[in-house]
Amino acid sequence: MLGDVLGLTQSQALAYRDLVGSPSLDAVELGRRLGCDPGDALDVLRALEGHGLAARQSADDSRFQAAPPEIALGALLARRKDEIRAAQVELIELEEEFRRSSALRPATDVVDVVRGADAVKHRITQLQLGARETVESFTKPPVFVMPADENTAEDQAVARGVRYRVVVDRVFLDTGVLRVDDVVEAIENGEDVRFSERVPIKLFIIDRRLAFVPIQTVVEAGTEGSDLAPDLVGALIIHPSGLLDALIALFESVWRDATPFPRPGERSDTAELDDEDSRILALMLAGLTDQSVANQLGLSLRTVQRRVKVLMGVAGVSTRIQLGWHAARKGWI
């Protein structure tokens, strides 16, 4: 971690830690510790010497000792801070220049095209890492670029305080592609997650200033070039425009009608529901069958049906439709 911040390679960071814990080391000893040959170890030691993190012993210039961490690392950190400040100034200037040039775009030039799965994956990661306040997204099958467990940029953005609002197509729960435990973990990390009977498109909206729409065109067998590119993967980037406004309005409409998922440990003031009952109710209102709810929660079908009946008794209703109305009215989810 420290090596990443200071711009050191993994070998250099490990070597410096070994030097700090030793009176001194030569290339042979360090190579043995790092699992590399002495020549490579000597290159690492020379690199640390160049960074001011190591110095040669006066009595034996083949041996190296660590520079005091507070002094050596402090100087490197100060240098990196200066570089970051300079980059921030340049970023502001570039952003202002981009806004000026964007204002000159013709009305028909508000959409950029990204082609290729790798380019789409890279741009999704880039946009999330660059988000400052909000990311709003629709998630629906098929997954053709980046599975949820590979989207590490999302975790990093949430950790920075970026607010995520995500509407997930119910079919992910029906098919078991998405597990309730994954949803709970995302919510615990700070995301807002809702489920919809049908999510219209794949979509990312970044800070309400840019929209990203992944697309996939399936080329039918037998058409020209189909043997080379059976699936054409790409994306559209929509800049500030009436089209972006329409996508934001679409998101808000679907979000408003989607079924929220209860936060872990959240309790209603008007009912004593435990976490499992809350999850059963949320999944049922999201449209899952009793069997799908049982599969998601690792319960038997009979247990799910019994607990739904108990919830109906607590609510004082005789049908599931009434239970849903009562749950919404009483704020059970």
Side-chain angles (χ1 to χ4, degrees):
M1 179 64 180
L2 186 61
D4 294 336
V5 172
L6 298 176
L8 302 177
T9 66
Q10 183 179 10
S11 296
Q12 291 167 2
L14 291 174
Y16 182 68
R17 286 186 177 275
D18 282 334
L19 281 175
V20 168
S22 306
S24 67
L25 292 173
D26 62 19
V28 174
E29 293 166 340
L30 180 61
R32 193 179 303 121
R33 296 190 180 200
L34 296 181
C36 64
D37 62 61
D40 291 336
L42 182 59
D43 290 340
V44 171
L45 287 169
R46 287 172 175 168
L48 291 177
E49 185 180 28
H51 285 301
L53 295 175
R56 299 172 189 260
Q57 281 189 333
S58 57
D60 184 356
D61 66 1
S62 69
R63 302 189 67 82
F64 293 75
Q65 55 192 25
E70 184 176 1
I71 297 174
L73 295 181
L76 277 181
L77 284 172
R79 187 188 313 160
R80 291 303 296 270
K81 287 179 180 178
D82 290 341
E83 292 172 353
I84 291 172
R85 279 194 291 267
Q88 288 173 332
V89 171
E90 186 173 0
L91 172 63
I92 292 172
E93 293 174 351
L94 290 173
E95 182 68 17
E96 291 176 351
E97 182 66 24
F98 178 76
R99 288 177 180 173
R100 284 194 294 269
S101 63
S102 295
L104 300 176
R105 283 174 177 251
T108 56
D109 190 20
V110 298
V111 178
D112 296 334
V113 179
V114 179
R115 293 183 172 87
D118 290 340
V120 170
K121 184 176 181 178
H122 173 75
R123 192 59 67 92
I124 289 175
T125 300
Q126 181 188 59
L127 290 174
Q128 291 179 103
L129 291 176
R132 301 170 185 172
E133 298 179 359
T134 61
V135 174
E136 294 151 325
S137 73
F138 288 154
T139 301
K140 64 172 296 184
V143 177
F144 55 82
V145 174
M146 185 189 300
D149 58 356
E150 294 181 11
N151 189 8
T152 57
E154 180 175 331
D155 299 331
Q156 295 177 50
V158 171
R160 291 200 322 272
V162 176
R163 184 190 178 195
Y164 268 73
R165 293 198 295 164
V166 183
V167 181
V168 181
D169 196 301
R170 195 197 75 191
V171 72
F172 278 127
L173 290 175
D174 281 333
T175 58
V177 172
L178 181 65
R179 304 296 302 175
V180 166
D181 289 344
D182 299 326
V183 180
V184 170
E185 182 180 0
I187 293 173
E188 287 177 336
N189 290 337
E191 297 187 35
D192 291 326
V193 181
R194 295 187 177 186
F195 292 94
S196 177
E197 179 76 18
R198 189 183 71 85
V199 172
I201 60 173
K202 296 175 184 288
L203 174 67
F204 289 83
I205 299 174
I206 310 296
D207 293 329
R208 303 224 152 182
R209 59 186 175 86
L210 204 68
F212 188 79
V213 182
I215 54 177
Q216 181 185 38
T217 302
V218 179
V219 180
E220 296 182 2
T223 58
E224 184 178 355
S226 62
D227 57 330
L228 299 177
D231 295 322
L232 303 179
V233 176
L236 304 177
I237 298 178
I238 292 89
H239 296 275
S241 60
L243 179 55
L244 176 60
D245 294 340
L247 290 173
I248 292 172
L250 174 64
F251 177 86
E252 289 298 339
S253 176
V254 176
W255 174 264
R256 183 180 61 250
D257 294 336
T259 303
F261 197 85
R263 291 186 173 276
E266 197 171 53
R267 290 289 184 269
S268 168
D269 294 336
T270 58
E272 291 299 324
L273 301 184
D274 61 23
D275 282 345
E276 196 153 63
D277 281 337
S278 296
R279 293 179 189 179
I280 289 174
L281 185 59
L283 293 173
M284 187 185 74
L285 294 179
L288 269 67
T289 64
D290 289 350
Q291 186 62 64
S292 293
V293 173
N295 293 340
Q296 278 286 342
L297 300 180
L299 303 173
S300 69
L301 176 60
R302 186 180 297 274
T303 297
V304 171
Q305 293 172 336
R306 176 178 56 80
R307 295 185 75 157
V308 170
K309 287 183 178 179
V310 170
L311 288 172
M312 291 169 64
V314 172
V317 299
S318 57
T319 69
R320 292 189 177 207
I321 292 177
Q322 289 174 315
L323 176 59
W325 178 83
H326 184 89
R329 179 170 172 269
K330 293 296 186 179
W332 284 9
I333 61 171

